[in-house]
Structure formats: structure tokens, C-alpha cells
Amino acid sequence: PGVGGAADDADLYQWNGTYSRLFDATAAGLPGSANVDAYHRVDATHFYLSFSSTTTFVPGLGNVQDEDVVYYNNGVWSVYFDGTAHGLTSSNEDIDAISIVGSVLYFSTVGNTNPPGVGGFPDDADIYSWNGSSYARVWDASTHGLSGFTDVDGVKVIDATHLYLSFNGTVTNVPGLGFEQDEDVVYYNNGVWSVYFNGTAYGLGTSGNLDIDGFDIP
């Protein structure tokens, strides 16, 4: 609401009481087919992205797969994480949520397949990590009260017991909160859930196109 110009699911928006467009993907050279589905912000001109499908014609890179993470450095694109090269070869292992803390990449995936070397029951609501040499499960959704139908599609990691999440499903049953919409962001505080951002209350509930599928919190 309140943002003019052509709408694009590869653009980045911000909310600070009102909405504004922070990044225009077309102006930065991305094709119209690009769809950003994961985002980690450094500042307004430096950030990490992942795409919902193979994206062609990324400036200076060409094709970027949906299990990859790219870095935008004030007009220059580079590959930060090559998921294919690091074993994310199943369509279930496409990355749809990212958060970067230091040199560690935290992520969630679109389907129920574990990254290489990770045991246990796979879940597209779990949060995994890549430390440069191996994968690990750092947050197990089912042990924190989320059902097997939950799909995380946005994450901001503070530490292993404090993180912000958004969900892919139209509604997701969250312990202590009830059904949360896919335009909302919730906060997990070491066992306690709360609503951080109520997208419905702030005008994002009027269209399925306004569901949040990538976010960051400075």
C-alpha cells in the first residue's frame, strides 16, 4: 500500500510505519522472470538474495540456480554460495529462506529433504546451517511445536534459540498464537512465540501477491 511504480516480486520493500521500495530489481539488471524468495540485508546497496527458480541473465553471472545465494555489492553481482557445488541437487533442496551470521549461512528449503550429511527426519520448516565445510540442523521445527504441514519461507537468525520466521502456507498454526497468515512475521524467543509484524493489519492481507516470502530485520 502506498508504493507506486510497476510491482515486481524481485523488488525489495521496507516498512518503517509506511511502505517504500528499497530496491528496484529491473533497474539493477535482473530479468522480469526473477522472483526473490530469500533476502539478507547488509545495507541498502549491499545484500544477499536467493531466487525461487533458475534465473537467467543475472548481470555478470548468467544463470543462477534456486539453491544458490548471490551477493549484490552496490551494482556488482557475485555468487556467495553455490548450492549445486555443495550437494544441494534435489528440487526439494532449493533454498527459500536465508540468514547470514558471521561466516555461517542459515537457510531453509522448499521440500522435505535433508542436506548432505544431516540425519533425522527432513522438514522444510527446519533451519539448517552451512559453515563452509558441512551442513547441520540448527533448529528443528517439530520440537518447537510446529506441525509437519509448516513450511518456513523466511528467516532471520539471532542465535539457535532466537529467530524470526515467516511461513509459506496461507495459515500456519503457531503455539500460543493460533493461525498466523503468510504475510506475517513471528518471533521465537527460546520457547515463547509472539507476533513481530502483523502484515494483515498493515494492509498486506488484501492480495495473495502480498505474502511475505523473504525478509530481514536490521
Side-chain angles (χ1 to χ4, degrees), residues 6-13 21-27 34 36:
D8 189 337
D9 54 7
D11 288 354
L12 302 175
Y13 303 91
R21 179 177 286 103
L22 181 67
F23 170 76
D24 187 323
T26 304
V36 168

Side-chain angles (χ1 to χ4, degrees), residues 28 45-47 58-61 70-79:
T45 58
H46 299 81
F47 44 82
V58 177
L61 299 180
V70 298
Y71 179 54
Y72 181 79
N73 179 5
N74 196 24
V76 178
W77 296 90
S78 60
V79 176

Side-chain angles (χ1 to χ4, degrees), residues 6-216:
D8 189 337
D9 54 7
D11 288 354
L12 302 175
Y13 303 91
Q14 66 178 6
W15 166 260
N16 61 359
T18 59
Y19 294 104
S20 60
R21 179 177 286 103
L22 181 67
F23 170 76
D24 187 323
T26 304
L30 291 178
S33 59
N35 179 6
V36 168
D37 70 349
Y39 169 56
H40 176 92
R41 171 190 167 95
V42 179
D43 58 40
T45 58
H46 299 81
F47 44 82
Y48 301 84
L49 301 175
S50 187
F51 302 107
S52 67
S53 60
T54 297
T55 300
T56 58
F57 306 116
V58 177
L61 299 180
N63 290 354
V64 172
Q65 310 298 315
D66 45 13
E67 63 269 18
D68 300 340
V69 178
V70 298
Y71 179 54
Y72 181 79
N73 179 5
N74 196 24
V76 178
W77 296 90
S78 60
V79 176
Y80 171 75
F81 174 77
D82 187 331
T84 310
H86 295 302
L88 301 185
T89 56
S90 164
S91 60
N92 277 345
E93 294 173 324
D94 300 341
I95 289 175
D96 65 350
I98 61 172
S99 185
I100 298 167
V101 180
S103 60
V104 178
L105 169 67
Y106 296 92
F107 65 95
S108 189
T109 59
V110 300
N112 297 327
T113 298
N114 282 328
V118 176
F121 188 79
D123 190 337
D124 55 5
D126 289 353
I127 308 301
Y128 303 95
S129 66
W130 168 257
N131 64 7
S133 60
S134 62
Y135 295 102
R137 178 181 287 103
V138 296
W139 193 80
D140 188 325
S142 61
T143 65
H144 299 299
L146 296 178
S147 78
F149 297 103
T150 304
D151 180 12
V152 166
D153 70 352
V155 64
K156 166 74 173 185
V157 173
I158 306 301
D159 56 41
T161 59
H162 300 81
L163 58 161
Y164 299 84
L165 302 169
S166 67
F167 304 109
N168 183 41
T170 303
V171 291
T172 297
N173 196 359
V174 180
L177 300 180
F179 291 103
E180 291 301 318
Q181 312 299 315
D182 47 12
E183 61 269 16
D184 300 341
V185 176
V186 299
Y187 178 49
Y188 178 81
N189 179 4
N190 196 25
V192 179
W193 294 89
S194 60
V195 177
Y196 172 77
F197 176 77
N198 187 333
T200 311
Y202 295 120
L204 299 186
T206 58
S207 167
N209 281 344
L210 295 172
D211 301 339
I212 291 176
D213 64 351
F215 71 89
D216 196 9

